[in-house]
Amino acid sequence: AFDQQRAACISWYLAWSGAQRDALFTAMLERTRRDSLDDLSNALAFGGFGSEDAFQAQLRMFCTWFSAWTDGQRNAMLDTLELVDQARVDAFIDRYRRIRW
C-alpha cells in the first residue's frame, strides 16, 4: 500500500504549482512537530487555492497517509521527493533541524 500511496503523492506533486509544493512541506513539518491532524488542518487553513479543490483533497489524503506511515516510510517519501525537487527537500530539512534543535 505504501508504494502505491507514494506513487500517487509524487504524481500529484509533479502537477502542483510551487506554492502548492511549499504547502506540502509545511504540512510535513507541522505533522512532524505535532501528533494531531486537527492541528495540521488548522495550519493548512490558508487562502489562495479556493474552496475544497483537487489540491486540498490531495493534500488532505497525503496528510492522512503521512500520519499512518512509519518513520522509515516517511523518510522513503522524503528520499523520493528529493529525486524530483532537491532544493525544496533541502530547505525542508534545514527548517526541520532549526525547529528541532
Side-chain angles (χ1 to χ4, degrees), residues 8-76:
C9 292
I10 293 301
S11 174
W12 299 336
Y13 186 85
L14 292 173
W16 290 344
S17 70
Q20 291 169 325
R21 290 177 178 190
D22 290 342
L24 173 74
F25 286 103
T26 298
M28 288 173 53
L29 191 61
E30 288 296 318
R31 188 66 192 104
T32 58
R33 290 177 59 197
R34 297 187 181 111
D35 205 31
S36 167
L37 284 178
D38 291 335
D39 289 339
L40 179 58
S41 296
N42 292 337
L44 294 175
F46 54 88
F49 300 113
S51 63
E52 194 51 36
D53 60 8
F55 166 71
Q56 289 293 333
Q58 291 167 349
L59 190 57
R60 184 178 14 265
M61 181 62 66
F62 172 83
C63 291
T64 299
W65 291 338
F66 190 82
S67 176
W69 291 341
T70 66
D71 286 344
Q73 290 170 323
R74 291 176 180 186
N75 288 334

